[in-house]
Amino acid sequence: MIELFEDPREDKKSDRPAPASLVKFRQVSQDAQKGAGEARIKAQKDKGKFTARERISYLLDQDSFFEIRSLMESSCSDFGVKDKHIKGDGVITGFGRINGREVAVYAQDFTQLGGSLGLAHARKIADLMDRALEAKVPVIGLLDSGGARIQEGVDSLNGYGEIFYRNVKASGVIPQISVILGPCAGGAVYSPALTDFIFMVEGISHMFVTGPSVVKAATGEEVDFDTLGGSHPHSEKSGVCQFVAKSEQDCFRQVRELLTFLPQNCYEKAPLESTSDVFDRPVHVLERVCEMDPKKAFRIHHVIWRLADDFGFFEIHQNFAKNVVTGFIRLGGEVVGVVANNPACLGGALDCDASDKAARFIRFLNAFNIPLLTLVDIGGYLPGVQQEHGGIIRHGAKLLYAYSEASIPKVTLVLRKAYGGAYIAMGSKYLRGDFNFAFPSAEIAVMGPRGAVDILYSRDLKAETDEQKKELLKEKLTKEYSDKFASPYQAASNGSIDEIIEPAEARAKIIRAFQVLRNKRNPKENPHKGNIPL
Ligand code: HXC
């Protein structure tokens, strides 16, 4: 027997030549790190894109990346794929840290076979997701791919199936984030669509089920990549993506910021952050809400900023269905999700898209133990043939479901109008709001005064033939109705509202309410709640 070390504490680099096995390994791993070579990397850069390795290094905390399966290759012998010996098979997988917290990350490498997904590529992603689910850490995918690898036939399609299945298994257990940094075409779009949040970058990200050439062949429509599946249509019209960035760097900054609001998994709470903002800071400016004509529009963001710690609001789905605003704030250091009607857009009315947007966000909050604050200023559901035929009944029902199902702490504040079915939908007591507050300016009723008078007194109004007298009568009846119903007092007297509050005290009262509710739900006993795409 020989001793491996003469001195067991010795830890010096040897002067001896490296053994052959080490030389070989170092060469192999260096080659694997290099990727597809200069020409393809240049082509990637010419498109204004970073390489997959650069992306990982910009996303993660410095030197925190821990790669796995870097040498895995395709075993497909068709079209000579195997003979190319592409180390890593066009995707880099591993773990790293963001703001000191563990995440799993994969980055498709477009310079290798167009980042296309073959069997080994798919297995690497699937294995990473399995590890992430066991380790209970978020998964972030950086996607830049030509889709199913054509040379590997049905194996690549099956690979997508494996990933979709895991996306669903992980849904609501660990946060899943997809960052689109190039093409994402065909059925490949459905993995991001099954995750919680999608980011796109202006000019370089594209998502579509069928590309421009297929669209032209099938329907005759001529459309370019950006118009069909760029960041604008998906952030503004389809609602497929929640975040748009101007550049890749800006995108990674946003992903890192989003993660500060999220727990690592459904068994934890979001991290508390210390704040110098005073818990009971008065917000006198909110008295202006009470001064305002209820029909006047204003951006609800002004209220959210003033309630939040340090005026911070991280908005989600900023460009989609702007009549409802969703996002994260901190209140007394605790992360809170906000759902708010935005009178500046469609009077804050609920339509199909806004219902979907709010419902999915609430379901995300519920899956990940994040309390919910609802700010209400709504005249009702958006009327019209388009909405009815677009399925407002079906979409609106999702919101009722999401509020009723959510067992997280729920605090609701009615600012001005809360009418009809929309009052019930927006976090009312009857869908189990825990604490429901109202400003003195709140109007809580079946409908607005003028509409109500038209219906209740239609016969009296019709009977009056003198137009001037009719108008005076209408005014008198409207005032009577307003005095009785266009206020929060009836709701406060029957318990639909827990307290009418001074606007200046809103921040203090809401924080206090969430403090009381802090132990409402124990995340450790949180049964799995999937975040189905709505
Ligand atoms: C194999 C692919 C590939 C693919 C691209 N490449 N897509 N290889 N399978 N799906 C290769 C190209 O052959 C090329 O290799 C290299 O990647 C770069 O591609 P280019 O075409 O030169 O790049 P660019 O001009 O930027 O165009 C990118 C692109 C285009 C728009 C993504 O490549 C494209 O349209 N690809 C096909 C997209 C597609 O239809 N995929 C299938 C979707 S269906 P060389 O060696 O020549 O440089 C799908 C089903 C999923 O994914 C189903 C899930 C259930």
Side-chain angles (χ1 to χ4, degrees):
M1 192 179 77
I2 56 159
E3 292 294 337
L4 196 50
F5 311 107
E6 283 158 22
D7 174 357
R9 282 162 303 176
E10 180 191 314
D11 195 21
K12 266 196 299 186
K13 205 169 172 212
S14 163
D15 303 332
R16 288 189 298 273
S21 62
L22 259 183
V23 172
K24 180 177 176 190
F25 164 69
R26 285 174 186 157
Q27 190 59 50
V28 168
S29 89
Q30 213 175 28
D31 290 348
Q33 295 273 320
K34 267 194 210 141
E38 276 174 27
R40 285 179 191 273
I41 290 175
K42 183 176 177 309
Q44 175 85 348
K45 301 258 173 176
D46 287 346
K47 287 179 194 141
K49 302 197 291 184
F50 288 131
T51 64
R53 285 199 187 276
E54 285 169 340
R55 286 166 173 167
I56 288 175
S57 71
Y58 289 132
L59 174 70
L60 299 178
D61 294 351
Q62 204 173 358
D63 298 329
S64 70
F65 187 50
F66 157 51
E67 187 168 357
I68 48 171
R69 298 200 176 182
S70 59
L71 302 183
M72 196 160 166
E73 291 181 24
S74 173
S75 56
C76 167
S77 46
D78 293 316
F79 300 94
V81 175
K82 188 175 161 187
D83 303 332
K84 290 188 176 152
H85 294 293
I86 294 173
K87 297 279 184 282
D89 203 36
V91 63
I92 301 167
T93 53
F95 293 84
R97 293 197 187 96
I98 291 185
N99 308 312
R101 300 157 82 207
E102 297 291 349
V103 294
V105 60
Y106 71 88
Q108 293 180 312
D109 181 355
F110 191 81
T111 67
Q112 304 273 32
L113 291 176
S116 58
L117 184 136
L119 190 58
H121 182 125
R123 281 201 180 134
K124 283 182 68 176
I125 297 175
D127 179 68
L128 181 84
M129 294 174 75
D130 288 342
R131 297 287 82 71
L133 198 52
E134 283 164 9
K136 302 186 183 62
V137 299
V139 180
I140 303 168
L142 309 181
L143 293 97
D144 186 1
S145 166
R149 187 172 300 155
I150 297 159
Q151 299 91 319
E152 297 200 28
V154 76
D155 274 350
S156 9
L157 301 180
N158 296 344
Y160 274 113
E162 292 289 347
I163 294 170
F164 298 161
Y165 178 77
R166 284 168 175 80
N167 284 136
V168 175
K169 286 307 232 190
S171 178
V173 182
I174 49 175
Q176 300 183 83
I177 295 171
S178 302
V179 186
I180 315 298
L181 298 167
C184 182
V189 295
Y190 287 111
S191 172
L194 288 164
T195 63
D196 300 305
F197 299 107
I198 297 181
F199 288 75
M200 293 179 85
V201 177
E202 279 179 13
I204 65 166
S205 313
H206 298 110
M207 295 180 80
F208 34 71
V209 175
T210 51
S213 53
V214 178
V215 169
K216 173 128 200 295
T219 70
E221 290 168 291
E222 293 212 23
V223 64
D224 60 43
F225 273 65
D226 258 342
T227 313
L228 182 65
S231 59
H232 286 287
H234 283 316
S235 61
E236 293 159 20
K237 293 181 187 165
S238 70
V240 163
C241 91
Q242 286 84 0
F243 298 96
V244 178
K246 295 257 176 245
S247 65
E248 291 199 33
Q249 294 276 28
D250 175 36
C251 183
F252 300 137
R253 185 197 55 73
Q254 289 188 41
V255 173
R256 291 175 61 91
E257 190 176 353
L258 170 64
L259 283 164
T260 65
F261 293 98
L262 310 185
Q264 290 288 84
N265 53 62
C266 69
Y267 307 103
E268 294 178 8
K269 286 189 182 182
L272 265 176
E273 202 173 80
S274 60
T275 173
S276 55
D277 202 350
V278 184
F279 284 24
D280 55 2
R281 166 170 55 79
V283 272
H284 295 291
V285 282
L286 294 186
E287 284 167 14
R288 281 194 216 151
V289 172
C290 302
E291 287 164 18
M292 239 189 270
D293 174 345
K295 290 198 281 300
K296 273 249 162 72
F298 70 95
R299 280 184 76 202
I300 194 68
H301 300 76
H302 291 283
V303 175
I304 300 171
W305 287 322
R306 277 164 179 81
L307 291 174
D309 288 357
D310 307 305
F311 301 84
F313 177 43
F314 188 78
E315 189 167 355
I316 293 169
H317 249 151
Q318 189 173 12
N319 302 327
F320 178 65
K322 293 180 182 177
N323 33 335
V324 159
V325 168
T326 53
F328 295 114
I329 59 172
R330 288 193 178 82
L331 284 174
E334 191 180 10
V335 175
V336 169
V338 179
V339 171
N341 303 119
N342 181 19
C345 180
L346 299 175
L350 281 173
D351 62 356
C352 300
D353 286 345
S355 303
D356 283 3
K357 170 177 167 177
R360 185 145 202 256
F361 182 60
I362 293 166
R363 299 200 77 239
F364 176 83
L365 300 178
N366 193 40
F368 290 102
N369 313 302
I370 301 173
L372 166 62
L373 171 66
T374 305
L375 301 176
V376 186
D377 193 340
I378 183 164
Y381 286 91
L382 188 69
V385 176
Q386 201 194 358
Q387 285 299 312
E388 295 296 342
H389 292 185
I392 186 63
I393 298 174
R394 187 162 52 83
H395 295 282
K398 297 177 200 172
L399 190 58
L400 295 168
Y401 196 104
Y403 267 110
S404 305
E405 176 194 40
S407 56
I408 42 177
K410 293 182 280 191
V411 173
T412 299
L413 171 62
V414 181
L415 305 172
R416 301 191 304 177
K417 304 176 298 298
Y419 288 137
Y423 144 70
I424 287 293
M426 291 298 297
S428 70
K429 198 97 215 135
Y430 305 94
L431 303 188
R432 301 299 179 267
D434 295 301
F435 292 116
N436 289 60
F437 299 128
F439 278 178
S441 48
E443 300 178 8
I444 302 169
V446 176
M447 61 172 68
R450 286 197 84 84
V453 164
D454 280 344
I455 294 171
L456 287 175
Y457 302 102
S458 67
R459 222 174 278 160
D460 307 65
L461 290 168
K462 252 188 219 147
E464 183 54 74
T465 48
D466 181 326
E467 280 306 315
Q468 216 173 358
K469 280 193 187 150
K470 190 190 275 191
E471 204 40 50
L472 280 173
L473 175 64
K474 205 166 173 178
E475 247 169 56
K476 178 178 154 283
L477 293 169
T478 304
K479 184 167 181 326
E480 274 172 22
Y481 180 93
S482 296
D483 290 345
K484 185 157 172 58
F485 292 111
S487 79
Y489 296 103
Q490 198 206 22
S493 72
N494 67 21
S496 312
I497 288 293
D498 293 302
E499 273 305 308
I500 301 170
I501 60 172
E502 282 276 350
E505 291 174 4
R507 175 176 153 87
K509 289 264 164 86
I510 293 169
I511 291 181
R512 191 75 187 91
F514 280 124
Q515 281 173 342
V516 171
L517 297 168
R518 188 157 285 157
N519 295 326
K520 181 182 171 191
R521 190 163 87 184
N522 179 359
K524 299 257 181 302
E525 290 160 13
N526 183 14
H528 174 208
K529 299 175 175 68
N531 185 23
I532 190 170
L534 295 177

